[in-house]
Structures are given as structure tokens and as C-alpha cells.
Amino acid sequence: MEDNANYYRIPRSEWQSFYTRSHMPLTQEELDNIKSLNDRISMQDVEDIYIPLCHLIHLYMKEYESLTLSKGLFLHRYIKVPPFVIGIAGSVAVGKSTTARLVQTMLARLFPRQKVQMITTDGFLYPNQELEKQGIMDRKGFPESYDMEHLIEFLTKIKAGEKNVQIPVYSHEVYDIIENEYETIDQPDILIVEGINVLQLPANQQIYVSDFFDFSLFVDADPRLIEHWYLERFESLLDTAFQDPTNYYYQYAIGNRRDALQMAKNVWKDVNLKNLEEYILPTRSRADIVLHKTTHHLIDKMYLKKY
């Protein structure tokens, strides 16, 4: 990300000094379970990057609660503080899922009175059968492949404080929505919404997903690095998929490895890179924080929006 007049550019060495804490909120084993396949993250990253980040999120939360209280005083009535919603965006394979799970775990540990839940927008993809019916299976991951009306309806219910709101479950192993399986979100104090599309502005809609966000984060890296991570992850998936014939990657795992890798390179170029350049990167400037990565997933700097 080039220097932007709308952001404070903060090197890692400076960011890590903003807030220190003597107690580490999680163990190495827990961190290993949080990180995604082929992602790299260390306890030093937790200390240098994520503890200050969670402290910043807490500052936003206190302002949010204060504004709700002020509205109640103005209206002479009690207003319950709606859930604080955090959006986390970024490319496929950039490590945003690891970031989302880590932020969820740390917020729950640092603020134990807060109920923290997380969803991924993968659950709002149309099922493969519907994508094939619409002739857009090769556009899976692009804006039109998501049921955005359903996602907005879900967020409306969450902000309204509804109980036990169910959402579909997506499986990366079968590469599809799992029929008749749901995840339940029940009145969280904090909801994290992770996905490549959460900061996008879909056409023909008056309300956008990002309208529900009280804080947003974009995980960023050079596209050439993300391609490398994407192909690394694909190979790692092949190394285990051959054991399960129901796995989407089984067909590639038992075939010629060179052909499979060429297929993955084509998918990156024709689908993921195109989606990144046309729809995902243009939303980066809408985030409150941009977390920038360099080689080996090392976070080297942060960008904090000025206003």
C-alpha cells in the first residue's frame, strides 16, 4: 500500500510501543490451533501487533458505548448497546482468517465479560447448484456469487439484538454450502465478520454490509506474495486430500502434480487475482486499519485512518 494522505503510516517498531501488557492472553499451542493452513504467525506478532490492535479496538468500543448512552439521555429512555461489529477483509490466502480468529480469541480473553462471536461470509455464497444454474460457477468469490440480501438481513437481526440467528455453513473440503447445517449467533457483544467482500459496495443495493461495521480492518500484501502463499496452501491441501475421496481437492491430489499446480496458477490469474484487483483492493481505503504483510507473512507496518 502506497503512502496515503488519509492514513497514518506506522512502522512495526513504533506500533509495538503504543500499548504493552505483562500478561500474554494465549499460549503457543492455542496460537498454533488458531492459524490457518500454511500461515505463519508468532507469539512475538501477538505481543507486537495484536495486543496494541485489540487495545485500539477497545477504545473504539468505549466511544461506541458512550454514543449509545448519549442517545439514551437525549431520548430520555434506556437504549441497550447494540453488538459492536468488526469487519475483516483481504484477498484469498492473505491470512485474514487467522487474523479474525486471533482477534476473536484475544478480545474474549482480554475482555472476559464480552461475548465474542465470529462468522465468515463464505456461508453466504450461493450453493454450487445455484451458481451453476446462473452460469457463474467460474465467478465464485466475485460479488455476484454471494447472497448479499441474506447477509444484510442477518446483520440487521444481529444489530437489533435478535436471539439465535442461524446462518448457513460452508465447507472448504467439499467446496460448497453444507445442506441443512447451520451456525447459530446468539446476541454477541462483539461480532467479527470476515470475508473478501465485506467492504465492497455491491450494485443495486441501498444498504451495504460495511454500514453495519463499527470498526474495519484490511489485511494487505503485494499480490505476487499472495500468489505464492496461495500456491503454497494449494500444495499443502493436496498433501492431505488424497486420503479423502469426498474432499474437493482429491481429484487433483491423485492426479499429476504438475497439472494440478498449473490449474491452480490459472485459477489464481483468471479468478483470484482478477477479483483482488477489480473488487477487493479498491475497498482497502475504506478500512480503519490496514495491516500490511511482507515475506513469510511478517507484519511490517500498519496504516491507521486519520478520519
Side-chain angles (χ1 to χ4, degrees), residues 170-199:
Y170 182 85
S171 169
H172 288 278
E173 284 72 28
V174 301
Y175 198 61
D176 201 356
I177 298 293
I178 303 177
E179 190 174 359
N180 297 323
E181 188 167 327
Y182 301 91
E183 180 181 2
T184 300
I185 304 299
D186 185 23
Q187 295 183 311
D189 298 298
I190 304 170
L191 177 68
I192 297 170
V193 182
E194 176 261 311
I196 61 175
N197 61 331
V198 296
L199 295 177

Side-chain angles (χ1 to χ4, degrees), residues 6-33:
N6 296 330
Y7 285 85
Y8 298 107
R9 180 183 181 277
I10 308 168
R12 179 181 180 126
S13 58
E14 183 180 356
W15 177 266
Q16 69 189 44
S17 69
F18 289 156
Y19 186 79
T20 57
R21 188 183 181 93
S22 58
H23 173 66
M24 180 60 67
L26 74 168
T27 66
Q28 181 65 57
E29 182 180 0
E30 289 171 326
L31 182 61
D32 291 339
N33 290 330

Side-chain angles (χ1 to χ4, degrees), residues 12 17 84 94 100-101 192 195 214 262-263 280 284 305:
R12 179 181 180 126
S17 69
F84 186 86
V94 78
R101 287 193 294 269
I192 297 170
D214 305 296
Q262 186 57 54
M263 182 278 300
I280 302 171
R284 182 175 56 190
K305 203 163 196 178

Side-chain angles (χ1 to χ4, degrees), residues 132-147:
E132 290 170 355
K133 180 181 177 181
Q134 294 184 28
I136 57 171
M137 189 65 184
D138 60 343
R139 300 274 295 178
K140 189 170 184 175
F142 284 75
E144 63 268 29
S145 65
Y146 290 88
D147 187 349

